[in-house]
Amino acid sequence: MAGKFKPKLTFRMRLRNKLSLLGLFLVTVNAVFSGEPSTATNIPTNVVIEEPEFTEVIENITAAAGRNVKFACSVKNLGSYKVAWMHFEQSAILTVHNHVITRNPRISVTHDKHRTWFLHISNVQDEDKGRYMCQINTVTAKTQFGFLHVVVPPNIDDSLSSSDVIIREGSNETLNCRATGSPHPSVKWRRDDNSKITINKTLTVTEWEGENLELTKISRLDMGAYLCIASNGVPPAVSKRIKVSVDFPPMLLIPHQLVGAPLAYSVTLECFTEAHPSSLNYWTREDGQMIHESRKYHTENIIGSPAYKTHMRLVISNIQQNDYGTYKCVAKNPRGETDGTIRLYTTAPPTTSPKPTTTDPPSRNKDGWANGDLNNSVYGNQTSLNMHLADKGSKYQSNLNEIDKSEQKSSSENDSKGVIYDWPASDDSSAQTIKISTLWVPILIIFLYQR
């Protein structure tokens, strides 16, 4: 029973055994690679041999992932001793003398005439970080360390981060953004359009720091793209764009619910809608009949900013009596439906006409005033008032011609046939006026003679 007893080894004893095994391994490797005995038994006893020593410390290295690095271990009096490189945290022997022991293809070793031994690590990865030990296989092994610090640019893990979301207005939502890198990156949130982020009713910020962004009672004003930006001082910084869509039923705003227009004129009815997702917008009459595009009706849906706003317009041309009445603008989306009513009623036409479109004075001809002088330029409809004035002008010109042909007409006849009209003078009318004034001379003489 006593032979089966195995006392527990202390940590110090295990470490001593581990170093002893390591020293034995290096001595064995030395003998294998050199083909010489591991002890210097063939050296005369009266010759003093200087043991190898390190001449410089190993510099620590900080490198970004993907770069190539090399450690330098400088020694003197190496003689027949060997230099080995180890990764201390991984307890892995990398190289011994000119030979690579590890199976890692990114590791290699070179030397400068046995004075400086270089450990090369290509395409550095995060797992390569840690302490690297350079060791000389003397009886009591001599070692020194260099530290490799690997920095990794930030990266956002899509599998652990939020993607585009669609939520109902008034709900709560938390956006997540998980980033990795070395050192560990910080995460900040911003809105893509640089507007403020509404955290709650009492807190709005332009920027929020943290992997989680909690939004409470979201409204349509919170709709848009949010950016999570991860940075750790190692370029480049990275960002992820998360689109937040807020669904709500349609709403309507009608600026004018009563609209008046004269017969034969045109009029525009307007409604403003807000809806998400985008609503189906159309117009109907009071009987529910949908209005379609035609020569009389023209409809427009103008997308506003933000995109959930729409401006609805209905243009009614050449209004007739049966066009008066009630019109409805209707908006539907998967979240609901709404409509608004506009009443179109008749009004008197305007009392004044627009100015002529040309600067030349109007000319009279056998067809009356030049076409378009009193025409309504907006609606393109000539009123009855215009035609009436043209008829009067034609009639007045014929009266002047009759007076010119007959001088026996009485003054009362002349007074009743256009002399009282005060029309604009022209070359023809001024000549007629001179002829009319000469008729009064004989009439006045006859009148005085009779008295």
Side-chain angles (χ1 to χ4, degrees):
M1 296 294 292
K4 295 182 180 180
F5 177 73
K6 295 181 180 180
K8 294 184 179 180
L9 298 177
T10 63
F11 172 77
R12 183 174 300 176
M13 293 175 63
R14 290 198 301 270
L15 180 61
R16 184 183 299 113
N17 291 340
K18 187 175 182 181
L19 292 177
S20 299
L21 290 173
L22 178 59
L24 179 60
F25 173 80
L26 292 176
V27 171
T28 304
V29 170
N30 181 24
V32 171
F33 287 138
S34 64
E36 299 175 356
S38 58
T39 59
T41 57
N42 58 340
I43 300 176
T45 57
N46 60 347
V47 178
V48 179
I49 299 176
E50 294 185 12
E51 284 195 348
E53 295 179 358
F54 297 112
T55 59
E56 296 180 10
V57 298
I58 301 176
E59 294 184 358
N60 296 332
I61 299 175
T62 299
R67 299 292 183 87
N68 300 332
V69 300
K70 68 177 180 179
F71 284 104
C73 182
S74 299
V75 298
K76 68 177 181 178
N77 304 325
L78 184 60
S80 60
Y81 292 98
K82 309 300 180 186
V83 173
W85 282 99
M86 299 176 59
H87 194 297
F88 190 78
E89 276 75 19
Q90 298 177 1
S91 298
I93 300 175
L94 305 177
T95 68
V96 176
H97 205 56
N98 294 323
H99 303 275
V100 177
I101 306 302
T102 181
R103 294 183 179 180
N104 187 341
R106 298 184 291 107
I107 300 295
S108 61
V109 63
T110 60
H111 63 85
D112 177 16
K113 296 180 180 181
H114 294 195
R115 291 177 299 184
T116 304
W117 295 82
F118 299 100
L119 176 67
H120 302 268
I121 309 174
S122 61
N123 189 22
V124 167
Q125 303 299 315
D126 187 49
E127 61 266 21
D128 296 328
K129 64 185 177 182
R131 287 179 291 177
Y132 285 80
M133 182 174 68
C134 176
Q135 186 177 71
I136 305 173
N137 65 332
T138 54
V139 176
T140 302
K142 295 183 178 182
T143 61
Q144 66 173 352
F145 295 90
F147 191 87
L148 174 61
H149 180 63
V150 179
V151 293
V152 181
N155 179 62
I156 296 175
D157 190 342
D158 287 334
S159 63
L160 300 177
S161 302
S162 299
S163 55
D164 294 348
V165 294
I166 302 175
I167 53 179
R168 293 292 297 267
E169 191 170 35
S171 302
N172 301 332
E173 182 66 22
T174 299
L175 304 181
N176 304 311
C177 187
R178 299 290 182 265
T180 59
S182 181
H184 188 74
S186 63
V187 175
K188 295 181 179 179
W189 294 87
R190 295 176 187 168
R191 292 192 64 169
D192 194 20
D193 58 0
N194 292 323
S195 57
K196 289 189 175 182
I197 300 174
T198 302
I199 304 300
N200 51 50
K201 290 183 178 180
T202 60
L203 179 60
T204 58
V205 295
T206 56
E207 185 177 85
W208 182 263
E209 186 168 355
E211 292 187 338
N212 301 325
L213 176 63
E214 297 182 0
L215 305 174
T216 60
K217 294 187 177 180
I218 290 180
S219 76
R220 65 197 67 181
L221 300 178
D222 301 318
M223 189 184 311
Y226 291 75
L227 298 176
C228 72
I229 304 168
S231 59
N232 64 351
V234 183
V238 293
S239 64
K240 178 180 175 65
R241 189 173 187 267
I242 302 173
K243 184 178 180 181
V244 176
S245 300
V246 181
D247 282 3
F248 56 93
M251 297 180 62
L252 278 176
L253 170 65
I254 302 176
H256 305 289
Q257 291 185 299
L258 292 175
V259 178
L263 281 169
Y265 277 68
S266 296
V267 71
T268 300
L269 309 183
E270 294 180 303
C271 287
F272 294 88
T273 71
E274 293 185 9
H276 192 272
S278 298
S279 57
L280 172 65
N281 304 319
Y282 59 92
W283 295 84
T284 68
R285 291 299 305 267
E286 60 264 33
D287 57 1
Q289 183 178 0
M290 185 182 297
I291 295 175
H292 299 283
E293 189 78 14
S294 63
R295 295 183 62 183
K296 174 170 286 292
Y297 299 114
H298 173 65
T299 60
E300 289 182 311
N301 290 319
I302 304 170
I303 304 300
S305 180
Y308 59 77
K309 294 184 177 182
T310 303
H311 181 190
M312 297 177 60
R313 301 177 76 244
L314 172 64
V315 180
I316 308 173
S317 302
N318 190 22
I319 297 174
Q320 302 301 314
Q321 191 63 42
N322 59 355
D323 293 327
Y324 294 109
T326 300
Y327 292 81
K328 284 187 177 182
C329 52
V330 184
K332 292 182 178 181
N333 78 351
R335 298 301 183 189
E337 173 183 352
T338 188
D339 60 65
T341 301
I342 300 176
R343 183 170 184 81
L344 178 63
Y345 65 93
T346 181
T347 59
T351 56
T352 59
S353 301
K355 295 181 179 180
T357 56
T358 61
T359 57
D360 297 333
S363 60
R364 289 170 296 179
N365 52 37
K366 63 181 179 179
D367 296 326
W369 293 97
N371 292 335
D373 289 340
L374 298 178
N375 208 28
N376 190 309
S377 59
V378 176
Y379 303 105
N381 179 57
Q382 192 171 15
T383 63
S384 60
L385 177 62
N386 296 18
M387 296 302 297
H388 181 66
L389 290 175
D391 292 342
K392 279 193 173 184
S394 300
K395 183 177 180 181
Y396 172 65
Q397 188 175 14
S398 65
N399 287 345
L400 292 179
N401 293 335
E402 291 176 5
I403 293 174
D404 186 30
K405 292 178 181 179
S406 177
E407 295 183 0
Q408 273 74 24
K409 303 268 183 181
S410 66
S411 61
S412 60
E413 291 176 355
N414 292 332
D415 291 342
S416 64
K417 292 186 178 181
V419 179
I420 61 174
Y421 290 95
D422 188 17
W423 297 98
S426 65
D427 294 341
D428 295 338
S429 61
S430 61
Q432 296 290 350
T433 305
I434 295 173
K435 292 180 181 180
I436 293 173
S437 62
T438 57
L439 295 177
W440 286 96
V441 176
I443 294 175
L444 182 59
I445 293 174
I446 295 172
F447 177 76
L448 293 174
Y449 179 77
Q450 291 178 350
R451 291 187 64 181

